[in-house]
Amino acid sequence: MAGAAREVPTCLLLGAAGGGKSLLARRLRQLSAQEGPAELGKPPATLPTVGTNLTDLQLPRRVTVRELGGCMGPIWPSYYGECSALLVSSSCIHLLSILSAESLAAVPMLVLFNKIDMPCYMSLTEMKSLFRMQDIVSCATQPIMMLETSARDGIGLADVLQWLRATLGDAR
């Protein structure tokens, strides 16, 4: 697995501009720092990421989440080599591009269907159908899991942390 030898594993957070990546990273940091059920409170204001943001999580092992701004899509591949896991909140084209990267062939991926708090959101079943996720998963070389989330409301974020703990939390 790429990046497995690193002392502090890096999880890339990739997705289209405006997909809620910055808020997601902040909320995950907030939840990982708390014991037991967390009250997230009002979502903080965020700005579109131009460049990269680093967020450390305690799972209890320290993991660094590197959020890459959506506008950085053309240079995402330069970050793949240091990646131990992926969080993807993305369009289907981005997803297929990421999945076909040779350096990510064995990197576990969590596909996030974020912003389920929006009035017009599609269900996980509808999104899986729209993205043809069954076909994508059956052809992919890496393990893929999918979750619905709302970084704004905190829905599904405990499941994201659980996936990160199971994927990166133990020292190897």
Side-chain angles (χ1 to χ4, degrees):
M1 173 167 50
R6 291 179 51 99
E7 193 169 308
V8 177
T10 298
C11 176
L12 289 182
L13 174 54
L14 307 174
K21 297 178 301 298
S22 296
L23 182 57
L24 178 73
R26 285 186 184 184
R27 295 294 208 177
L28 290 174
R29 181 181 61 216
Q30 184 181 356
L31 283 174
S32 73
Q34 297 177 353
E35 303 264 337
E39 180 61 43
L40 291 174
K42 184 178 178 187
T46 59
L47 295 171
T49 300
V50 177
T52 183
N53 286 328
L54 299 175
T55 303
D56 284 338
L57 306 178
Q58 294 298 326
L59 300 177
R61 180 184 188 192
R62 192 178 90 180
V63 171
T64 298
V65 174
R66 179 182 295 270
E67 174 201 348
L68 299 177
C71 64
M72 292 180 60
I75 63 168
W76 286 352
S78 64
Y79 291 89
Y80 292 170
E82 65 185 56
C83 175
S84 301
L86 289 167
L87 296 176
V88 179
S89 176
S90 190
S91 70
C92 195
I93 298 300
H94 282 132
L95 179 61
L96 294 173
S97 173
I98 292 164
L99 285 169
S100 64
E102 190 174 314
S103 58
L104 298 176
V107 176
M109 179 182 298
L110 177 59
V111 177
L112 303 173
F113 296 108
N114 194 24
K115 298 197 174 190
I116 65 169
D117 54 290
M118 301 296 286
C120 59
Y121 93 98
M122 299 170 98
S123 71
L124 184 58
T125 301
E126 292 168 321
M127 291 299 292
K128 284 180 176 181
S129 176
L130 180 67
F131 276 59
R132 296 189 57 157
M133 289 305 297
Q134 185 174 355
D135 294 337
I136 290 172
V137 169
S138 68
C139 294
T141 58
Q142 57 273 84
I144 300 173
M145 185 173 164
M146 292 154 275
L147 288 174
E148 291 179 301
T149 61
S150 168
R152 177 170 296 282
D153 295 343
I155 299 167
L157 298 186
D159 295 328
V160 174
L161 283 177
Q162 183 178 353
W163 182 85
L164 285 167
R165 281 187 187 103
T167 303
L168 302 172
D170 296 327
R172 296 173 209 251

